[in-house]
Amino acid sequence: MSKLPEVRYWSKEFETIDRPSLKKLQVKRLKETVSCALKTSFYKARLKKAGINGPEDIKTLDDLEKIPFTTKDDLRECYPGGLLSVSLEEVVRIHTSSGTTGTPTVIYHTGADVDRWTDLVARSITATGAGRKDIFQNMMSYGMFTGGLGLHYGAERVGMTVIPIGGGNTRRQIQLMHDFKTTVLHITPSYMLHIHSKTGECGFSVNDLNLRKAYLGAEPYSENTRRKVESLFNIDVYNSYGLSEMNGPGVAFECVYKCGMHTWEDAYILEITDPKTRESLGPEKEGEIVFTTLTRKATPLLRYRTRDLAFVHGGECRCKRTHRRLSRITGRTDDMLIVNGVNVYPSQIEEVIMRVPQVGNNYQICLEKEGTLDKLIVKVEIYSKMFRGDLGEIEILKEKIKTELRAAIVINAVIELHEPGVLPVFEGKAKRVIDTRQKL
Ligand code: ADP
Ligand code: ZN
């Protein structure tokens, strides 16, 4: 890994704004957002019911509590136009979510909305120390998925040389990385690991590439996976978080210190709430992330419940940015698995298997019914040289993973070890969990 470069800012005034001024700005922008929201039939009814008839009803940030939450179901009910707060003539772009968990939701953008989003991405890229000298290969899908165009616009604004290849076509990806000496990638963690498996097959080694950094996001991954990718490619990995409801990437991004993702609080109000009681939680306490847009005109969203779980780091970052840092996303409120009554998040399983050195680049979590009981099967690819050696070692490894998993999640899992290339590969968001229990 490279030495930490100097801290650079895209818009220093906003990135290092003192907290009282930031709060003032948030109140001003919240008022504007409420005005905008009142132009939609959905929020007009909602806000009036809550006693908010105009921006004058918002005086301090404490007034946020008066505003009801907005859920993904609300967005679905408003599909396609119920949350549009400007005339369609002002809209220059429509994005929908990838629909990981059902019907997609739609977000409209005016030209100024896209411009402000682009600036947040440019700010995020600069925070990682990248800039106009970099060759940026965007391996996230383009189209409706925000990971493509979102990063693309920001990277161009920074002045990077952009290779807009999008997702898939692994051989070509590797060839282009080699030929154009790509320095920065934007990619999902699962696909990044797959790229590593294929580099040798394409006749290259990691040392033939010129990679320096990768922005990994769009799906949950553990700190162990970050470390693994960093050591496999000898690069720095930065966590990137966003969701289409909040524009897409550029909501929260790690700086060169890689200790949590600065959430751009001049553009979003960040709350962490207890998923059950809805109580607002302080630093270091894990809960559901709730966001309010502060600068989007075409589709303002108030207190949107993301269903993503995380916490806010306490203390200040050495980069001097004043925007609070979000932890790694530990899961979604809707991806918790209940295995024979025990609650477990897929991320807990990943954390354990990715710290085992013999484990390769892919895994899958399967849940089946065995009689009345649930059976958890963890399928793990391991490096092929293991299969050529003493098979007794494979049994020992299985037992080791099983014991470590039991210690972490209190479940006795069945461990299957596979040769590389056996488990399904995803070029976009990975689907790691196969749950067939309901069908029986
Ligand atoms: P969806 O997947 O809900 O259809 P999006 O394509 O907008 O919609 O994906 C956003 C979701 O992807 C987030 O809500 C979060 O669950 C996940 N995500 C994005 N970035 C990260 C990240 N860095 N770590 C973990 N999860 C992430
Ligand atoms: Zn920082």
Side-chain angles (χ1 to χ4, degrees), residues 391-435:
L391 290 185
E393 275 182 31
I394 291 192
E395 286 310 311
I396 294 169
L397 180 60
K398 250 193 208 176
E399 217 32 60
K400 176 180 149 82
I401 297 177
K402 189 179 167 127
T403 311
E404 291 200 11
L405 263 181
R406 190 169 43 225
I409 60 170
V410 217
I411 296 171
N412 261 321
V414 175
I415 311 295
E416 280 183 15
L417 301 181
H418 294 277
E419 292 223 39
V422 169
L423 298 174
V425 173
F426 297 89
E427 290 159 353
K429 284 175 194 268
K431 184 166 167 40
R432 302 280 200 195
V433 179
I434 309 289
D435 190 345

mmCIF file of all heavy atoms in Angstrom, residues 391-435:
data_model
loop_
_atom_site.group_PDB
_atom_site.id
_atom_site.type_symbol
_atom_site.label_atom_id
_atom_site.label_comp_id
_atom_site.label_asym_id
_atom_site.label_seq_id
_atom_site.Cartn_x
_atom_site.Cartn_y
_atom_site.Cartn_z
ATOM 1 N N LEU A 391 -5.262 -34.157 1.410
ATOM 2 C CA LEU A 391 -6.696 -33.905 1.563
ATOM 3 C C LEU A 391 -7.096 -33.797 3.037
ATOM 4 O O LEU A 391 -8.124 -33.229 3.374
ATOM 5 C CB LEU A 391 -7.509 -34.968 0.833
ATOM 6 C CG LEU A 391 -7.413 -34.875 -0.699
ATOM 7 C CD1 LEU A 391 -8.332 -35.883 -1.373
ATOM 8 C CD2 LEU A 391 -7.723 -33.473 -1.216
ATOM 9 N N GLY A 392 -6.271 -34.390 3.908
ATOM 10 C CA GLY A 392 -6.513 -34.268 5.353
ATOM 11 C C GLY A 392 -6.516 -32.804 5.769
ATOM 12 O O GLY A 392 -7.263 -32.378 6.652
ATOM 13 N N GLU A 393 -5.700 -32.008 5.077
ATOM 14 C CA GLU A 393 -5.621 -30.579 5.410
ATOM 15 C C GLU A 393 -6.945 -29.873 5.119
ATOM 16 O O GLU A 393 -7.318 -28.916 5.772
ATOM 17 C CB GLU A 393 -4.519 -29.913 4.581
ATOM 18 C CG GLU A 393 -3.166 -30.066 5.232
ATOM 19 C CD GLU A 393 -2.091 -29.369 4.436
ATOM 20 O OE1 GLU A 393 -2.384 -28.352 3.778
ATOM 21 O OE2 GLU A 393 -0.960 -29.886 4.451
ATOM 22 N N ILE A 394 -7.648 -30.397 4.096
ATOM 23 C CA ILE A 394 -8.944 -29.801 3.769
ATOM 24 C C ILE A 394 -9.918 -30.017 4.922
ATOM 25 O O ILE A 394 -10.670 -29.119 5.301
ATOM 26 C CB ILE A 394 -9.475 -30.381 2.440
ATOM 27 C CG1 ILE A 394 -8.580 -29.865 1.317
ATOM 28 C CG2 ILE A 394 -10.929 -30.029 2.210
ATOM 29 C CD1 ILE A 394 -9.086 -30.082 -0.067
ATOM 30 N N GLU A 395 -9.885 -31.232 5.466
ATOM 31 C CA GLU A 395 -10.768 -31.530 6.604
ATOM 32 C C GLU A 395 -10.443 -30.628 7.789
ATOM 33 O O GLU A 395 -11.340 -30.136 8.469
ATOM 34 C CB GLU A 395 -10.626 -33.009 7.019
ATOM 35 C CG GLU A 395 -11.299 -33.988 6.057
ATOM 36 C CD GLU A 395 -12.755 -33.613 5.719
ATOM 37 O OE1 GLU A 395 -13.530 -33.345 6.665
ATOM 38 O OE2 GLU A 395 -13.099 -33.548 4.514
ATOM 39 N N ILE A 396 -9.158 -30.415 8.013
ATOM 40 C CA ILE A 396 -8.745 -29.559 9.142
ATOM 41 C C ILE A 396 -9.242 -28.119 8.915
ATOM 42 O O ILE A 396 -9.762 -27.467 9.811
ATOM 43 C CB ILE A 396 -7.199 -29.577 9.305
ATOM 44 C CG1 ILE A 396 -6.756 -30.982 9.712
ATOM 45 C CG2 ILE A 396 -6.724 -28.552 10.327
ATOM 46 C CD1 ILE A 396 -5.258 -31.227 9.666
ATOM 47 N N LEU A 397 -9.133 -27.671 7.648
ATOM 48 C CA LEU A 397 -9.575 -26.316 7.327
ATOM 49 C C LEU A 397 -11.089 -26.166 7.534
ATOM 50 O O LEU A 397 -11.567 -25.181 8.088
ATOM 51 C CB LEU A 397 -9.198 -25.999 5.872
ATOM 52 C CG LEU A 397 -9.595 -24.613 5.360
ATOM 53 C CD1 LEU A 397 -8.950 -23.511 6.189
ATOM 54 C CD2 LEU A 397 -9.196 -24.449 3.896
ATOM 55 N N LYS A 398 -11.830 -27.202 7.088
ATOM 56 C CA LYS A 398 -13.290 -27.195 7.265
ATOM 57 C C LYS A 398 -13.641 -27.033 8.737
ATOM 58 O O LYS A 398 -14.483 -26.227 9.120
ATOM 59 C CB LYS A 398 -13.841 -28.561 6.813
ATOM 60 C CG LYS A 398 -14.627 -28.516 5.541
ATOM 61 C CD LYS A 398 -15.350 -29.831 5.398
ATOM 62 C CE LYS A 398 -15.588 -30.153 3.971
ATOM 63 N NZ LYS A 398 -16.189 -31.453 3.748
ATOM 64 N N GLU A 399 -12.973 -27.806 9.546
ATOM 65 C CA GLU A 399 -13.229 -27.806 10.987
ATOM 66 C C GLU A 399 -12.890 -26.431 11.578
ATOM 67 O O GLU A 399 -13.617 -25.902 12.414
ATOM 68 C CB GLU A 399 -12.365 -28.911 11.631
ATOM 69 C CG GLU A 399 -12.965 -29.685 12.786
ATOM 70 C CD GLU A 399 -14.493 -29.870 12.738
ATOM 71 O OE1 GLU A 399 -15.036 -30.470 11.781
ATOM 72 O OE2 GLU A 399 -15.138 -29.390 13.684
ATOM 73 N N LYS A 400 -11.794 -25.861 11.083
ATOM 74 C CA LYS A 400 -11.360 -24.547 11.587
ATOM 75 C C LYS A 400 -12.423 -23.469 11.267
ATOM 76 O O LYS A 400 -12.801 -22.677 12.127
ATOM 77 C CB LYS A 400 -10.014 -24.189 10.930
ATOM 78 C CG LYS A 400 -9.473 -22.811 11.268
ATOM 79 C CD LYS A 400 -8.150 -22.631 10.526
ATOM 80 C CE LYS A 400 -7.861 -21.219 10.142
ATOM 81 N NZ LYS A 400 -7.308 -20.341 11.055
ATOM 82 N N ILE A 401 -12.913 -23.475 10.020
ATOM 83 C CA ILE A 401 -13.911 -22.465 9.636
ATOM 84 C C ILE A 401 -15.192 -22.674 10.462
ATOM 85 O O ILE A 401 -15.796 -21.730 10.960
ATOM 86 C CB ILE A 401 -14.218 -22.537 8.122
ATOM 87 C CG1 ILE A 401 -12.958 -22.208 7.317
ATOM 88 C CG2 ILE A 401 -15.347 -21.600 7.753
ATOM 89 C CD1 ILE A 401 -13.103 -22.325 5.806
ATOM 90 N N LYS A 402 -15.542 -23.953 10.618
ATOM 91 C CA LYS A 402 -16.760 -24.276 11.366
ATOM 92 C C LYS A 402 -16.656 -23.766 12.814
ATOM 93 O O LYS A 402 -17.586 -23.145 13.333
ATOM 94 C CB LYS A 402 -16.935 -25.797 11.355
ATOM 95 C CG LYS A 402 -18.259 -26.252 11.894
ATOM 96 C CD LYS A 402 -18.355 -27.776 11.825
ATOM 97 C CE LYS A 402 -19.533 -28.204 12.653
ATOM 98 N NZ LYS A 402 -20.451 -29.045 11.919
ATOM 99 N N THR A 403 -15.499 -23.996 13.428
ATOM 100 C CA THR A 403 -15.305 -23.584 14.823
ATOM 101 C C THR A 403 -15.330 -22.063 14.941
ATOM 102 O O THR A 403 -15.960 -21.505 15.833
ATOM 103 C CB THR A 403 -13.935 -24.111 15.332
ATOM 104 O OG1 THR A 403 -13.852 -25.481 14.995
ATOM 105 C CG2 THR A 403 -13.790 -23.939 16.822
ATOM 106 N N GLU A 404 -14.675 -21.400 13.993
ATOM 107 C CA GLU A 404 -14.638 -19.931 14.072
ATOM 108 C C GLU A 404 -16.025 -19.333 13.849
ATOM 109 O O GLU A 404 -16.398 -18.355 14.472
ATOM 110 C CB GLU A 404 -13.629 -19.367 13.060
ATOM 111 C CG GLU A 404 -12.218 -19.728 13.474
ATOM 112 C CD GLU A 404 -11.167 -18.837 12.839
ATOM 113 O OE1 GLU A 404 -11.515 -17.801 12.245
ATOM 114 O OE2 GLU A 404 -9.971 -19.193 12.948
ATOM 115 N N LEU A 405 -16.779 -19.956 12.941
ATOM 116 C CA LEU A 405 -18.138 -19.472 12.700
ATOM 117 C C LEU A 405 -19.004 -19.670 13.934
ATOM 118 O O LEU A 405 -19.779 -18.800 14.323
ATOM 119 C CB LEU A 405 -18.773 -20.220 11.526
ATOM 120 C CG LEU A 405 -18.716 -19.560 10.160
ATOM 121 C CD1 LEU A 405 -19.420 -20.421 9.138
ATOM 122 C CD2 LEU A 405 -19.364 -18.171 10.180
ATOM 123 N N ARG A 406 -18.837 -20.850 14.556
ATOM 124 C CA ARG A 406 -19.643 -21.134 15.747
ATOM 125 C C ARG A 406 -19.346 -20.100 16.833
ATOM 126 O O ARG A 406 -20.243 -19.606 17.498
ATOM 127 C CB ARG A 406 -19.360 -22.553 16.252
ATOM 128 C CG ARG A 406 -20.357 -22.970 17.331
ATOM 129 C CD ARG A 406 -20.266 -24.452 17.655
ATOM 130 N NE ARG A 406 -18.869 -24.861 17.747
ATOM 131 C CZ ARG A 406 -18.387 -25.968 17.190
ATOM 132 N NH1 ARG A 406 -19.156 -26.770 16.495
ATOM 133 N NH2 ARG A 406 -17.111 -26.276 17.316
ATOM 134 N N ALA A 407 -18.093 -19.750 16.966
ATOM 135 C CA ALA A 407 -17.722 -18.768 17.991
ATOM 136 C C ALA A 407 -18.340 -17.400 17.688
ATOM 137 O O ALA A 407 -18.734 -16.672 18.591
ATOM 138 C CB ALA A 407 -16.207 -18.649 18.063
ATOM 139 N N ALA A 408 -18.468 -17.099 16.404
ATOM 140 C CA ALA A 408 -18.952 -15.754 16.044
ATOM 141 C C ALA A 408 -20.468 -15.663 15.998
ATOM 142 O O ALA A 408 -21.049 -14.650 16.389
ATOM 143 C CB ALA A 408 -18.368 -15.343 14.693
ATOM 144 N N ILE A 409 -21.136 -16.713 15.515
ATOM 145 C CA ILE A 409 -22.592 -16.587 15.297
ATOM 146 C C ILE A 409 -23.417 -17.614 16.076
ATOM 147 O O ILE A 409 -24.643 -17.648 15.952
ATOM 148 C CB ILE A 409 -22.953 -16.662 13.796
ATOM 149 C CG1 ILE A 409 -22.515 -17.994 13.181
ATOM 150 C CG2 ILE A 409 -22.355 -15.495 13.023
ATOM 151 C CD1 ILE A 409 -23.037 -18.234 11.771
ATOM 152 N N VAL A 410 -22.751 -18.440 16.853
ATOM 153 C CA VAL A 410 -23.431 -19.452 17.684
ATOM 154 C C VAL A 410 -24.317 -20.383 16.861
ATOM 155 O O VAL A 410 -25.404 -20.777 17.302
ATOM 156 C CB VAL A 410 -24.282 -18.810 18.820
ATOM 157 C CG1 VAL A 410 -24.227 -19.638 20.087
ATOM 158 C CG2 VAL A 410 -23.897 -17.388 19.091
ATOM 159 N N ILE A 411 -23.863 -20.688 15.654
ATOM 160 C CA ILE A 411 -24.629 -21.633 14.826
ATOM 161 C C ILE A 411 -23.641 -22.666 14.298
ATOM 162 O O ILE A 411 -22.523 -22.322 13.914
ATOM 163 C CB ILE A 411 -25.303 -20.901 13.629
ATOM 164 C CG1 ILE A 411 -26.330 -19.898 14.141
ATOM 165 C CG2 ILE A 411 -25.951 -21.897 12.669
ATOM 166 C CD1 ILE A 411 -26.893 -18.993 13.066
ATOM 167 N N ASN A 412 -24.083 -23.915 14.269
ATOM 168 C CA ASN A 412 -23.265 -24.974 13.693
ATOM 169 C C ASN A 412 -23.539 -25.042 12.202
ATOM 170 O O ASN A 412 -24.565 -25.562 11.778
ATOM 171 C CB ASN A 412 -23.657 -26.321 14.312
ATOM 172 C CG ASN A 412 -22.699 -26.694 15.413
ATOM 173 O OD1 ASN A 412 -21.488 -26.463 15.300
ATOM 174 N ND2 ASN A 412 -23.237 -27.247 16.482
ATOM 175 N N ALA A 413 -22.648 -24.507 11.420
ATOM 176 C CA ALA A 413 -22.895 -24.509 9.979
ATOM 177 C C ALA A 413 -22.235 -25.720 9.333
ATOM 178 O O ALA A 413 -21.274 -26.273 9.874
ATOM 179 C CB ALA A 413 -22.318 -23.234 9.381
ATOM 180 N N VAL A 414 -22.760 -26.101 8.169
ATOM 181 C CA VAL A 414 -22.091 -27.128 7.370
ATOM 182 C C VAL A 414 -21.160 -26.374 6.426
ATOM 183 O O VAL A 414 -21.596 -25.439 5.738
ATOM 184 C CB VAL A 414 -23.130 -27.936 6.547
ATOM 185 C CG1 VAL A 414 -22.438 -28.919 5.622
ATOM 186 C CG2 VAL A 414 -24.110 -28.619 7.473
ATOM 187 N N ILE A 415 -19.902 -26.757 6.398
ATOM 188 C CA ILE A 415 -18.954 -26.032 5.540
ATOM 189 C C ILE A 415 -18.643 -26.890 4.315
ATOM 190 O O ILE A 415 -18.308 -28.067 4.429
ATOM 191 C CB ILE A 415 -17.635 -25.741 6.293
ATOM 192 C CG1 ILE A 415 -17.896 -25.132 7.673
ATOM 193 C CG2 ILE A 415 -16.704 -24.871 5.447
ATOM 194 C CD1 ILE A 415 -18.552 -23.772 7.661
ATOM 195 N N GLU A 416 -18.808 -26.295 3.146
ATOM 196 C CA GLU A 416 -18.403 -26.990 1.909
ATOM 197 C C GLU A 416 -17.250 -26.202 1.301
ATOM 198 O O GLU A 416 -17.356 -24.995 1.113
ATOM 199 C CB GLU A 416 -19.558 -26.982 0.897
ATOM 200 C CG GLU A 416 -20.610 -28.024 1.164
ATOM 201 C CD GLU A 416 -21.688 -27.985 0.064
ATOM 202 O OE1 GLU A 416 -21.473 -27.366 -1.008
ATOM 203 O OE2 GLU A 416 -22.749 -28.569 0.306
ATOM 204 N N LEU A 417 -16.183 -26.911 0.971
ATOM 205 C CA LEU A 417 -15.050 -26.218 0.339
ATOM 206 C C LEU A 417 -15.008 -26.568 -1.151
ATOM 207 O O LEU A 417 -15.165 -27.737 -1.516
ATOM 208 C CB LEU A 417 -13.745 -26.606 1.028
ATOM 209 C CG LEU A 417 -13.687 -26.280 2.523
ATOM 210 C CD1 LEU A 417 -12.332 -26.677 3.111
ATOM 211 C CD2 LEU A 417 -13.938 -24.801 2.779
ATOM 212 N N HIS A 418 -14.858 -25.574 -1.968
ATOM 213 C CA HIS A 418 -14.879 -25.804 -3.424
ATOM 214 C C HIS A 418 -13.625 -25.247 -4.088
ATOM 215 O O HIS A 418 -12.985 -24.344 -3.558
ATOM 216 C CB HIS A 418 -16.102 -25.112 -4.034
ATOM 217 C CG HIS A 418 -17.402 -25.710 -3.581
ATOM 218 N ND1 HIS A 418 -17.946 -26.825 -4.161
ATOM 219 C CD2 HIS A 418 -18.235 -25.350 -2.589
ATOM 220 C CE1 HIS A 418 -19.086 -27.118 -3.553
ATOM 221 N NE2 HIS A 418 -19.285 -26.249 -2.593
ATOM 222 N N GLU A 419 -13.383 -25.787 -5.294
ATOM 223 C CA GLU A 419 -12.279 -25.252 -6.097
ATOM 224 C C GLU A 419 -12.699 -23.895 -6.668
ATOM 225 O O GLU A 419 -13.888 -23.628 -6.828
ATOM 226 C CB GLU A 419 -11.996 -26.198 -7.285
ATOM 227 C CG GLU A 419 -11.438 -27.500 -6.823
ATOM 228 C CD GLU A 419 -10.284 -27.952 -7.708
ATOM 229 O OE1 GLU A 419 -9.471 -27.104 -8.122
ATOM 230 O OE2 GLU A 419 -10.201 -29.158 -7.974
ATOM 231 N N PRO A 420 -11.764 -23.044 -7.013
ATOM 232 C CA PRO A 420 -12.121 -21.738 -7.581
ATOM 233 C C PRO A 420 -12.971 -21.892 -8.848
ATOM 234 O O PRO A 420 -12.767 -22.832 -9.618
ATOM 235 C CB PRO A 420 -10.767 -21.114 -7.922
ATOM 236 C CG PRO A 420 -9.771 -21.844 -7.109
ATOM 237 C CD PRO A 420 -10.313 -23.213 -6.880
ATOM 238 N N GLY A 421 -13.895 -20.970 -9.051
ATOM 239 C CA GLY A 421 -14.694 -20.948 -10.274
ATOM 240 C C GLY A 421 -15.967 -21.767 -10.208
ATOM 241 O O GLY A 421 -16.713 -21.846 -11.184
ATOM 242 N N VAL A 422 -16.258 -22.388 -9.085
ATOM 243 C CA VAL A 422 -17.431 -23.258 -8.976
ATOM 244 C C VAL A 422 -18.688 -22.455 -8.628
ATOM 245 O O VAL A 422 -19.764 -22.692 -9.171
ATOM 246 C CB VAL A 422 -17.171 -24.357 -7.908
ATOM 247 C CG1 VAL A 422 -18.443 -25.106 -7.572
ATOM 248 C CG2 VAL A 422 -16.080 -25.303 -8.382
ATOM 249 N N LEU A 423 -18.557 -21.492 -7.760
ATOM 250 C CA LEU A 423 -19.732 -20.744 -7.297
ATOM 251 C C LEU A 423 -20.089 -19.635 -8.290
ATOM 252 O O LEU A 423 -19.225 -19.152 -9.015
ATOM 253 C CB LEU A 423 -19.454 -20.151 -5.908
ATOM 254 C CG LEU A 423 -19.173 -21.198 -4.824
ATOM 255 C CD1 LEU A 423 -18.773 -20.526 -3.512
ATOM 256 C CD2 LEU A 423 -20.381 -22.099 -4.603
ATOM 257 N N PRO A 424 -21.381 -19.245 -8.327
ATOM 258 C CA PRO A 424 -21.783 -18.229 -9.314
ATOM 259 C C PRO A 424 -21.068 -16.897 -9.107
ATOM 260 O O PRO A 424 -20.794 -16.498 -7.976
ATOM 261 C CB PRO A 424 -23.289 -18.056 -9.070
ATOM 262 C CG PRO A 424 -23.621 -18.793 -7.845
ATOM 263 C CD PRO A 424 -22.500 -19.724 -7.519
ATOM 264 N N VAL A 425 -20.799 -16.237 -10.234
ATOM 265 C CA VAL A 425 -20.091 -14.948 -10.208
ATOM 266 C C VAL A 425 -21.076 -13.846 -10.561
ATOM 267 O O VAL A 425 -21.943 -14.037 -11.410
ATOM 268 C CB VAL A 425 -18.952 -14.965 -11.248
ATOM 269 C CG1 VAL A 425 -18.306 -13.600 -11.365
ATOM 270 C CG2 VAL A 425 -17.925 -16.010 -10.893
ATOM 271 N N PHE A 426 -20.968 -12.695 -9.903
ATOM 272 C CA PHE A 426 -21.857 -11.572 -10.190
ATOM 273 C C PHE A 426 -21.030 -10.385 -10.655
ATOM 274 O O PHE A 426 -20.037 -10.042 -10.035
ATOM 275 C CB PHE A 426 -22.648 -11.197 -8.937
ATOM 276 C CG PHE A 426 -23.545 -12.313 -8.487
ATOM 277 C CD1 PHE A 426 -23.075 -13.283 -7.609
ATOM 278 C CD2 PHE A 426 -24.833 -12.418 -8.968
ATOM 279 C CE1 PHE A 426 -23.894 -14.332 -7.209
ATOM 280 C CE2 PHE A 426 -25.661 -13.465 -8.580
ATOM 281 C CZ PHE A 426 -25.177 -14.427 -7.700
ATOM 282 N N GLU A 427 -21.475 -9.797 -11.756
ATOM 283 C CA GLU A 427 -20.733 -8.646 -12.265
ATOM 284 C C GLU A 427 -21.255 -7.357 -11.652
ATOM 285 O O GLU A 427 -20.589 -6.350 -11.634
ATOM 286 C CB GLU A 427 -20.829 -8.602 -13.786
ATOM 287 C CG GLU A 427 -20.035 -9.739 -14.410
ATOM 288 C CD GLU A 427 -20.475 -10.077 -15.817
ATOM 289 O OE1 GLU A 427 -21.489 -9.518 -16.280
ATOM 290 O OE2 GLU A 427 -19.806 -10.916 -16.453
ATOM 291 N N GLY A 428 -22.495 -7.396 -11.163
ATOM 292 C CA GLY A 428 -23.052 -6.247 -10.431
ATOM 293 C C GLY A 428 -23.129 -6.630 -8.971
ATOM 294 O O GLY A 428 -22.209 -7.226 -8.440
ATOM 295 N N LYS A 429 -24.258 -6.292 -8.348
ATOM 296 C CA LYS A 429 -24.413 -6.652 -6.944
ATOM 297 C C LYS A 429 -24.494 -8.160 -6.794
ATOM 298 O O LYS A 429 -25.234 -8.822 -7.514
ATOM 299 C CB LYS A 429 -25.720 -6.060 -6.400
ATOM 300 C CG LYS A 429 -25.667 -4.585 -6.118
ATOM 301 C CD LYS A 429 -27.059 -4.115 -5.709
ATOM 302 C CE LYS A 429 -27.174 -2.622 -5.736
ATOM 303 N NZ LYS A 429 -26.862 -1.983 -4.452
ATOM 304 N N ALA A 430 -23.751 -8.708 -5.834
ATOM 305 C CA ALA A 430 -23.741 -10.156 -5.648
ATOM 306 C C ALA A 430 -24.981 -10.618 -4.892
ATOM 307 O O ALA A 430 -25.483 -9.919 -4.029
ATOM 308 C CB ALA A 430 -22.495 -10.547 -4.870
ATOM 309 N N LYS A 431 -25.482 -11.796 -5.248
ATOM 310 C CA LYS A 431 -26.553 -12.414 -4.455
ATOM 311 C C LYS A 431 -25.924 -13.577 -3.719
ATOM 312 O O LYS A 431 -25.705 -14.633 -4.281
ATOM 313 C CB LYS A 431 -27.689 -12.863 -5.376
ATOM 314 C CG LYS A 431 -28.870 -13.421 -4.609
ATOM 315 C CD LYS A 431 -30.104 -13.537 -5.504
ATOM 316 C CE LYS A 431 -31.223 -14.381 -4.902
ATOM 317 N NZ LYS A 431 -31.482 -14.228 -3.486
ATOM 318 N N ARG A 432 -25.573 -13.356 -2.473
ATOM 319 C CA ARG A 432 -24.804 -14.334 -1.705
ATOM 320 C C ARG A 432 -25.679 -15.345 -0.977
ATOM 321 O O ARG A 432 -25.211 -16.403 -0.604
ATOM 322 C CB ARG A 432 -23.978 -13.620 -0.634
ATOM 323 C CG ARG A 432 -23.018 -12.594 -1.139
ATOM 324 C CD ARG A 432 -21.787 -13.255 -1.650
ATOM 325 N NE ARG A 432 -20.670 -12.324 -1.715
ATOM 326 C CZ ARG A 432 -19.579 -12.586 -2.387
ATOM 327 N NH1 ARG A 432 -19.445 -13.710 -3.058
ATOM 328 N NH2 ARG A 432 -18.594 -11.722 -2.412
ATOM 329 N N VAL A 433 -26.925 -14.969 -0.686
ATOM 330 C CA VAL A 433 -27.749 -15.834 0.167
ATOM 331 C C VAL A 433 -28.808 -16.545 -0.670
ATOM 332 O O VAL A 433 -29.556 -15.906 -1.404
ATOM 333 C CB VAL A 433 -28.433 -14.996 1.280
ATOM 334 C CG1 VAL A 433 -29.306 -15.887 2.156
ATOM 335 C CG2 VAL A 433 -27.387 -14.267 2.113
ATOM 336 N N ILE A 434 -28.828 -17.872 -0.582
ATOM 337 C CA ILE A 434 -29.865 -18.655 -1.260
ATOM 338 C C ILE A 434 -30.686 -19.310 -0.153
ATOM 339 O O ILE A 434 -30.220 -20.214 0.536
ATOM 340 C CB ILE A 434 -29.244 -19.749 -2.159
ATOM 341 C CG1 ILE A 434 -28.176 -19.161 -3.083
ATOM 342 C CG2 ILE A 434 -30.311 -20.516 -2.931
ATOM 343 C CD1 ILE A 434 -28.684 -18.284 -4.191
ATOM 344 N N ASP A 435 -31.899 -18.837 0.008
ATOM 345 C CA ASP A 435 -32.739 -19.344 1.097
ATOM 346 C C ASP A 435 -33.920 -20.103 0.498
ATOM 347 O O ASP A 435 -34.823 -19.496 -0.077
ATOM 348 C CB ASP A 435 -33.225 -18.155 1.924
ATOM 349 C CG ASP A 435 -33.906 -18.588 3.209
ATOM 350 O OD1 ASP A 435 -34.248 -19.781 3.329
ATOM 351 O OD2 ASP A 435 -34.075 -17.732 4.098
#
